[in-house]
Amino acid sequence: MSATQLRRRPSRGVPATLVALIVLAVSVLATTAAVTRLASSDWPSWATGPARAVAQQSWGATPVIAAAVVGVVLGVVLLLAALVPGRRSGVPVDLSVTNAEVSEVVITQRGVARLAAAAADEVDGVESVDVSVSTRLVRVEVVTASRSDVESVRSAVQASVEDRLDVLGSGPVCEVRTRVRSRES
């Protein structure tokens, strides 16, 4: 199994949509101008006016420099969006798969939260469970009706969740913090 953490690449939907819309708009305008030129043997005025204004600018003009800076910043942002890996999306599971040359089994953070919630829910005295998972921490919040056994419920939930998550690998997936509140009677 590889020593590197599994990282997913986020969909990058917003940058991809923006680039696609800009390319589509430029393509529609260029096609419309070309068809108009072929049909009437003259470029449309909406295309020649801006083209003339751009042609009259010098390289050192403020609008040209501003457009260049905006283009460079936008290009760097889109390049970083494509190259920088996203946040960790799964926890590696120490499981060997037969009939596989190279395999890596992972469980999502949502799956870890569900496993932790199921383990906590099985403990006697637990009425409700709320679990949140980050890359390094599993937070388990439990509500119990018992006021006197809060510490014993907390230790039982802590042990149950840690035992359940230890099954995923050779050691703890991440730190488990448990908090127990007693329900007001």
Side-chain angles (χ1 to χ4, degrees):
M1 189 169 291
S2 68
T4 60
Q5 288 184 345
L6 178 75
R7 290 192 177 269
R8 72 168 174 87
R9 300 252 184 213
S11 66
R12 311 292 190 199
V14 173
T17 302
L18 288 175
V19 170
L21 289 174
I22 290 170
V23 169
L24 178 66
V26 169
S27 300
V28 166
L29 290 174
T31 302
T32 304
V35 168
T36 304
R37 168 83 166 131
L38 288 173
S40 66
S41 71
D42 198 20
W43 290 104
S45 61
W46 57 265
T48 56
R52 223 176 277 122
V54 170
Q56 292 174 353
Q57 298 292 326
S58 66
W59 283 106
T62 304
V64 173
I65 292 174
V69 168
V70 167
V72 167
V73 168
L74 184 62
V76 168
V77 167
L78 290 173
L79 186 63
L80 287 175
L83 295 178
V84 174
R87 64 181 172 86
R88 189 174 88 175
S89 66
V91 176
V93 177
D94 190 18
L95 178 69
S96 61
V97 177
T98 57
N99 300 331
E101 190 173 310
V102 177
S103 66
E104 186 170 15
V105 179
V106 296
I107 185 171
T108 63
Q109 290 178 342
R110 179 186 230 176
V112 171
R114 286 183 176 181
L115 278 175
D121 199 35
E122 292 173 357
V123 174
D124 287 338
V126 172
E127 287 189 0
S128 68
V129 178
D130 184 30
V131 178
S132 63
V133 177
S134 67
T135 56
R136 295 186 184 95
L137 183 65
V138 176
R139 287 184 189 89
V140 182
E141 191 167 317
V142 174
V143 176
T144 183
S146 171
R147 285 180 166 231
S148 60
D149 284 348
V150 170
E151 186 55 36
S152 64
V153 169
R154 191 199 70 71
S155 62
V157 168
Q158 179 86 18
S160 177
V161 170
E162 286 177 349
D163 287 346
R164 182 73 55 94
L165 296 182
D166 281 348
V167 175
L168 297 177
S170 57
V173 173
C174 45
E175 182 184 352
V176 177
R177 287 192 192 155
T178 306
R179 183 175 149 207
V180 177
R181 292 183 297 141
S182 64
R183 183 175 50 97
E184 297 295 325
S185 299

